[in-house]
Amino acid sequence: MNDYNPQEIEPKWQAKWDETELYKQVIDKNKKKHYAMTMLPYPSGDLHIGHWYAMSPSDARARYMRMQGFNVLFPMGFDAFGLPAENAAIKNNIHPQKWTYANIDKMRGQLKSMGAMFDWEREAISADPSYYKWTQWFFKKLIELGLAYRKLSAVDFCPTCNTTLAREQVWGDDRHCERCGTPVIKKDLEQWFFKTTDYAEELLDFSQINWPERVKVMQTNWIGRSNGADVVFKTEQGDEMPIFTTRPDTLWGATFMVMAPEHPLVDKITTPEQAGAVLEYRQQAQRMSDIDRESAEREKTGVFTGAYAINPVNEARIPIWVADYVLMGYGFGAIMAVPAHDERDFEFATKFDLPIIEVIRGPERTDADGPLTEAYVTKTEGQMINSGEFTGTPTAEGIEKVTDWLEAKGIGKKAINYRLRDWLISRQRYWGAPIPVVYCPEHGAVPVPDEDLPVMLPEDVEFMPTGESPLRFHEGFLHTECPICGQPSLRETDTMDTFMCSSWYQYRYLSPDYDDAPFDPVEGAYWLPVDQYTGGIEHATMHLIYTRFFTKAMREMGLVDFDEPMLALHNQGMVLGEDNEKMSKSRGNVVAPDDLVQKYGADTVRTYLMFFTKWDQGGPWNYDGIKGPQRLLQDVWSVAMHEYIQSVINESADRALRRKTHQVIKKVGEDFEGFSFNTAVAAIMELRNSILEAQRRSNVSRESWDEAVNSMLLLLAPIAPHITEELWAQRGKPYSIHQQDWPQWDSEVAKEESITLIVQINGKVRDRIEAQADTPDEELKTLALASENVQKHLEGKAPRKVIVVKGTLVNIVK
């Protein structure tokens, strides 16, 4: 018998699978389809253990579905545009395209070493012109639908490098440029947006998708639907200052207003005496991120404009402040501040000695309690006070009654607000899909005609140390003609956010070489939508929202007839270093999968990744832990290659092996359905132990032995595809094990013959009794009470109660 040598058998079977096109998937209307996807990687140049942890269990699940009789599509591609390629170009003097495609070649080889059932004929690479032609086409379609528009918007900008910066290029608490250390400022540029907000309400509807509750909560919070009222305040000069509030019942407690530093009225209303302080404050705010500005932990800052507004409900004159915790992107960029009933406003008013007027009084407070020491924020308890004609109104009724009154007065109306912002897709970068727009002096922004797509990225570009996009200085790219009138015009030099490319890649997988549309409609009619998607939860509020938006927009285009891109989603956790920290080169705790494959083989690495922790939780890597899966595969090899010689059959042992076989078939199937890979591997280990015991004793029938061993190979095939393929062939079975049906289990065979009945008295275990598995509850009670040890602890007294739990536990109450 040959020893198990994964370095020999794994390349052998990978070559065989390629030669026989085992994983090439075609439409088969006699089978039910299953479109499985795992999130595509960025071609950084190395497949890290996190990729393996996400992809190999996803592959195992896809293989399981194939064995269940589904026609399974499981494609792979590369999200190939992005900033790292430009950084590499500047640092190493190499073209981003060359860097990217060299990395893709390397990573494709690494992915193949995994032994996954990827259909490589469907590979899609977002940086291929044949791909981004359709990314540009979608951009044009979104313009036609009124879902794309251009407006001034702030970007992070380095004044020294004279270039915009991506979020990851802004470093430190002082927000400086990663390249030169200069403090970053905000700069307004004309940029393109997609109207994701048009779909805010629909994006809150998860009724058609089976996604993790955590993802749904994250998306719900990100979209941030709020019911309330729009109310119009006015400055003393008569300028309207609309605000949105979720608490119109607290309007009488508004003692000041706060505007975002970017609010267009700031310059107009600020008095000359306050102009210097306001300008300095606005410059400080420009350098901060929205996340920092909104942080609840930050001490509140602000500056008085010198101007006042009039509260429309009581004509009170209230000061207008500028503060960075108010953002232009939410509501109208201004708020009414009610410090008695909002924690941030209370903190601000306390710091700047502004009035705090209580207008909602809780049932536990009286006048004798004195001033509030913290904001009272309930929406349900108490009553309105100091609120004119509404004084005495129960808090639970106040919002609706006041809103109706505002509408009747013409100073407000019911409104819904969302935290979700439109998607900014412009990037001042070279390595991305060019935005297909020409700017004509007469016709303005003109989309490039379909017949001229794709707008190609020029290859002969020079990258500057500052990081400025070379498209701005490439004469051949920049200068063109207006598609309408032929006048000399300028081409858009921004490229698209890479999330644009990954929002529709599942459609391009269907037909990556199709040139008449984004995807072949025949393929789409069969495979779409995606049935199962896997990937990291860190994408919950960007990619996973964008791809949902994109599918809904494609529905409006008439390209699809469904509402959601992926019907089911599962998220994996993270593999940490052995030190329980996130892996990083600086910590020296990175696990290199290539080295592991060389040492242990891909099947062992796959099996360990599915065994060492719950897949959705992740955990720290453990080099000692890999020995268990390694031993499992060595035992499987030994058992399957062993010529079983039957001795005297022990009927009880024979039944026990068959029982364990059928129990494990049932268990592993259930675990694959629920993505519980660790318990599936553990169950296979149990079956391995039972088979080894039968091998030692040679006391089971040949039929039961073969059933157990063959079933073990079939159950293990999705997890360890190479070794099982080899052993299946060695046992004379037809090629390929991955084309076999999932084994069936028999409930009668799987049923336990006996149970161990646990007997408790007042919660303490007093005896364990062997009983037939199907013994009725009344007989179990009799057995328990007849126990000598139970009688001893009952001390001759009759029990007050005897409870049988699930036929395995009897609890006696004295």
Side-chain angles (χ1 to χ4, degrees), residues 138-430:
F138 276 122
F139 180 92
K140 290 184 55 188
K141 285 294 180 183
L142 290 168
I143 290 179
E144 291 175 16
L145 286 173
L147 293 173
Y149 65 95
R150 194 168 180 245
K151 72 169 183 178
L152 273 174
S153 181
V155 295
D156 287 323
F157 187 85
C158 175
T160 300
C161 294
N162 192 35
T163 186
T164 57
L165 301 176
R167 186 179 304 166
E168 59 267 31
Q169 294 176 297
V170 180
W171 287 12
D173 292 337
D174 63 344
R175 304 193 77 246
H176 64 266
C177 171
E178 67 162 338
R179 289 197 178 96
C180 68
T182 302
V184 169
I185 64 171
K186 293 286 186 182
K187 185 174 182 178
D188 283 340
L189 292 180
E190 288 279 355
Q191 300 187 85
W192 285 95
F193 289 79
F194 291 155
K195 295 179 74 173
T196 49
T197 51
D198 277 14
Y199 293 87
E201 199 62 39
E202 192 176 348
L203 288 167
L204 287 169
D205 179 4
F206 303 100
S207 62
Q208 297 182 58
I209 51 179
N210 178 21
W211 285 22
E213 194 61 32
R214 189 176 165 204
V215 173
K216 292 190 283 189
V217 169
M218 290 171 74
Q219 291 200 355
T220 298
N221 292 339
W222 186 264
I223 295 164
R225 186 184 196 272
S226 299
N227 294 310
D230 291 342
V231 184
V232 180
F233 284 68
K234 289 185 179 180
T235 68
E236 285 188 310
Q237 292 75 29
D239 297 297
E240 289 192 350
M241 284 182 61
I243 60 99
F244 171 80
T245 177
T246 60
R247 295 299 304 273
D249 56 327
T250 65
L251 271 159
W252 286 262
T255 59
F256 60 100
M257 297 193 75
V258 184
M259 303 174 75
E262 304 84 2
H263 197 290
L265 275 180
V266 171
D267 285 333
K268 183 175 181 182
I269 67 170
T270 300
T271 63
E273 295 79 12
Q274 293 297 110
V278 169
L279 177 61
E280 182 181 354
Y281 186 83
R282 294 176 81 184
Q283 289 173 338
Q284 290 175 358
Q286 271 192 326
R287 298 192 53 244
M288 298 178 65
S289 71
D290 288 354
I291 294 172
D292 289 337
R293 285 171 58 172
E294 285 193 291
S295 172
E297 284 73 42
R298 272 188 70 242
E299 182 181 357
K300 297 296 175 284
T301 62
V303 62
F304 179 41
T305 65
Y308 290 84
I310 305 301
N311 188 329
V313 300
N314 58 9
E315 300 297 317
R317 183 174 181 258
I318 58 177
I320 304 172
W321 286 65
V322 170
D324 56 23
Y325 74 88
V326 177
L327 304 178
M328 272 307 297
Y330 182 73
F332 297 96
I335 65 164
M336 67 169 195
V338 185
H341 307 293
D342 181 275
E343 291 169 351
R344 291 189 309 174
D345 296 345
F346 186 91
E347 182 184 341
F348 193 92
T350 302
K351 178 175 180 178
F352 294 105
D353 197 25
L354 294 164
I356 299 174
I357 299 175
E358 186 180 5
V359 292
I360 303 291
R361 173 155 292 179
E364 71 284 355
R365 267 182 63 77
T366 67
D367 289 338
D369 291 326
L372 289 168
T373 57
E374 61 181 6
Y376 181 71
V377 297
T378 183
K379 287 185 178 182
T380 56
E381 295 182 351
Q383 62 180 9
M384 295 173 66
I385 63 170
N386 300 323
S387 300
E389 66 185 81
F390 291 97
T391 296
T393 302
T395 302
E397 303 171 14
I399 292 176
E400 185 174 353
K401 287 186 174 181
V402 171
T403 303
D404 291 343
W405 180 81
L406 291 169
E407 289 187 335
K409 292 280 187 179
I411 54 176
K413 61 180 181 180
K414 289 181 182 177
I416 298 172
N417 198 56
Y418 300 93
R419 294 191 63 83
L420 180 69
R421 304 272 62 84
D422 283 342
W423 176 9
L424 168 60
I425 63 102
S426 293
R427 295 293 181 270
Q428 293 74 42
R429 296 280 169 270
Y430 165 77

Side-chain angles (χ1 to χ4, degrees), residues 48-67:
H48 56 71
I49 202 68
H51 289 121
W52 274 72
Y53 186 62
M55 293 177 182
S56 52
S58 301
D59 171 64
R61 179 50 155 63
R63 289 177 176 279
Y64 163 77
M65 295 301 291
R66 179 174 179 163
M67 295 176 77

Side-chain angles (χ1 to χ4, degrees), residues 777-796:
D777 285 357
E778 286 303 315
E779 288 186 33
L780 293 177
K781 286 182 184 180
T782 302
L783 283 170
L785 291 172
S787 161
E788 185 178 326
N789 203 37
V790 168
Q791 286 297 322
K792 173 185 166 185
H793 283 87
L794 284 176
E795 300 172 329

